[in-house]
Amino acid sequence: MRLVVTGGAGFIGSNFVRYMLATHDDVSIVNLDKLTYAGNLENLRDVEDDPRYRFVQGDICDAIIVEETLRGADAVVNFAAETHVDRSISGPQDFIRTDVLGTHTLLEAVRRLDIPRYLQISTDEVYGSIEHGAFTEDSDLDPSSPYSASKAGADLLVLAYHRTFGTPVLITRSSNNYGPYQYPEKIVPLFITNAVDDQPLPVYGDGRNVRDWLHVDDNCAGIDLVLREGAPGHVYNVGGGNDIQNLDITRRILGLLGKDEGLIRFVADRPGHDRRYAVDCAKLHGLGWAPRISFEAGLERTVEWYVAHPEWWRPIKSGEWRAYYERQYGDLA
Ligand code: NAD
Ligand code: TYD
């Protein structure tokens, strides 16, 4: 299978590239990535010499490079996106550009080149917040942030291309991922690396917001399965079944690192902060998928990875990251 992965230098994309090269002998992968602040070729250092892998630097909004890169592909998996909710609140424009227009640029190329499979990587955040129970794939979209609204816009375009042009699309909507190589702006790597350095952990609001945590390797297995066996035009939820409050995660991270809870700081809440996310994954279970990594084991492994790889995150936590952190967290930084 000749696969084009976009956004493969980011967190989930790089884990997916590594997962696919390790799991399938007959796969070749071209990784099209713009290398924004979140893209990092260090994430794929260990596979860059694999003859089945090639990197192309480029923007998914650039129709020429997209068409050149996609020509001859058997499948496209689109991870490329602006992904951080807080950044979408302070500056939504890049989100609309990459997440909506970029997706449209890819869809157009897929249509023109007759590519047999297009998988859009989406998020459970498109459904919005749910007090009790879980969203199914048929639930209405009700996004709260400019990030989730952009992702919802992309999902609607993807499904419209299927209905209108018969484009063979698939969508996965996963819950919050955690694991190695996640940019330290998201809660898990931010809190682990701050705690290592005895820096405060900024908990938004009352810390009782709930996310469903999914280890990135389990997400990669789900994406691989949907790519091979999903039905065109269909959406598949991918969740870990781990509904956990932010404060609980924060305490577990501190516990695993042997740090004091005095590092916890309650700070102003995120505007439009969704209270709880939860997805029903019966449809993907029907294809034979189930998460294999318990949250306890996965979080412990993840903490160990960041502790063992300061050479990965210390350089990140200097330049652009530092400026962002000061803007976002003010006095705390
Ligand atoms: P990330 O921010 O770590 O990486 C995004 C990657 O996309 C980077 O390598 C970046 O350089 C690249 N990129 C950004 N704009 C681009 C453009 N215009 N052209 C080409 N490349 C571009 O993101 P992630 O956490 O790995 O998320 C990957 C995908 O999964 C996203 O679509 C996101 O919406 C979705 N998702 C993420 C999570 C999560 O918990 N991280 C959960 C559900 C869904
Ligand atoms: P985040 O990792 O940004 O993912 P998302 O917003 O896509 O779910 O945030 C996860 C949860 O952690 C969310 O409820 C917001 C909260 N959070 C904090 O309390 N403090 C922080 O510094 C960050 C980044 C997130």
Side-chain angles (χ1 to χ4, degrees):
M1 184 194 270
R2 286 162 300 175
L3 196 58
V4 173
V5 164
T6 67
F11 164 48
I12 306 177
S14 62
N15 278 284
F16 182 71
V17 167
R18 185 175 298 102
Y19 175 91
M20 291 301 278
L21 290 172
T23 316
H24 303 286
D25 290 332
D26 59 343
V27 74
S28 70
I29 301 179
V30 176
N31 171 17
L32 174 65
D33 196 299
K34 184 180 175 182
L35 297 183
T36 67
Y37 79 90
N40 185 351
L41 290 179
E42 292 300 326
N43 299 1
L44 286 167
R45 203 49 89 200
D46 54 331
V47 301
E48 68 184 4
D49 294 329
D50 189 315
R52 297 171 299 160
Y53 170 75
R54 185 162 67 88
F55 174 68
V56 175
Q57 184 167 8
D59 189 331
I60 59 163
C61 300
D62 178 340
I64 293 170
I65 200 156
V66 162
E67 188 149 339
E68 265 171 25
T69 310
L70 267 54
R71 186 166 290 118
D74 297 313
V76 176
V77 185
N78 178 29
F79 292 93
E82 290 293 336
T83 62
H84 192 40
V85 172
D86 293 322
R87 290 188 194 245
S88 83
I89 295 168
S90 49
Q93 203 158 349
D94 285 347
F95 288 74
I96 295 153
R97 184 179 174 280
T98 290
D99 301 12
V100 184
L101 297 179
T103 298
H104 176 249
T105 309
L106 291 169
L107 286 168
E108 268 303 296
V110 166
R111 182 162 86 93
R112 273 200 305 278
L113 298 168
D114 253 334
I115 291 176
R117 232 151 158 81
Y118 174 87
L119 171 51
Q120 174 75 2
I121 302 300
S122 185
T123 163
D124 63 355
E125 301 192 25
V126 298
Y127 298 118
S129 195
I130 189 165
E131 198 85 359
H132 305 286
F135 291 115
T136 71
E137 291 82 355
D138 296 325
S139 299
D140 289 342
L141 304 192
D142 187 18
S144 301
S145 71
Y147 162 63
S148 50
S150 301
K151 294 296 288 186
D155 281 15
L156 293 176
L157 268 174
V158 168
L159 295 172
Y161 265 63
H162 179 70
R163 264 193 228 165
T164 308
F165 305 114
T167 309
V169 303
L170 301 142
I171 297 178
T172 59
R173 293 186 181 140
S174 86
S175 60
N176 284 62
N177 284 220
Y178 69 100
Y181 301 104
Q182 186 168 29
Y183 193 85
E185 63 188 353
K186 308 279 173 24
I187 190 170
V188 169
L190 176 66
F191 283 16
I192 294 171
T193 56
N194 275 14
V196 165
D197 282 346
D198 296 309
Q199 293 299 307
L201 311 190
V203 173
Y204 295 157
D206 64 3
R208 305 273 173 209
N209 301 65
V210 171
R211 298 292 182 264
D212 168 12
W213 292 94
L214 173 68
H215 192 277
V216 66
D217 288 348
D218 280 328
N219 190 20
C220 290
I223 293 167
D224 181 22
L225 184 61
V226 170
L227 184 63
R228 286 180 292 113
E229 294 181 24
H234 280 250
V235 176
Y236 295 86
N237 289 338
V238 194
N242 298 301
D243 290 16
I244 300 173
Q245 292 187 347
N246 293 337
L247 204 49
D248 186 3
I249 281 226
T250 308
R251 292 195 172 118
R252 288 182 197 221
I253 289 172
L254 289 169
L256 285 165
L257 287 166
K259 299 284 182 175
D260 196 271
E261 291 192 7
L263 287 176
I264 297 173
R265 296 283 189 289
F266 289 95
V267 300
D269 208 354
R270 170 189 281 173
H273 195 175
D274 284 328
R275 196 66 175 166
R276 177 172 175 269
Y277 295 139
V279 279
D280 179 320
C281 302
K283 193 168 167 183
L284 189 55
H285 291 156
L287 287 186
W289 176 88
R292 290 163 169 231
I293 303 168
S294 72
F295 187 68
E296 289 68 27
L299 188 65
E300 190 174 346
R301 211 202 279 179
T302 302
V303 167
E304 283 167 3
W305 188 86
Y306 287 92
V307 168
H309 292 90
E311 82 292 350
W312 181 82
W313 57 266
R314 285 212 184 278
I316 295 176
K317 283 186 105 173
S318 52
E320 192 280 342
W321 180 92
R322 185 81 232 157
Y324 163 75
Y325 194 68
E326 283 168 12
R327 276 199 314 278
Q328 178 67 21
Y329 296 97
D331 289 346
L332 202 73

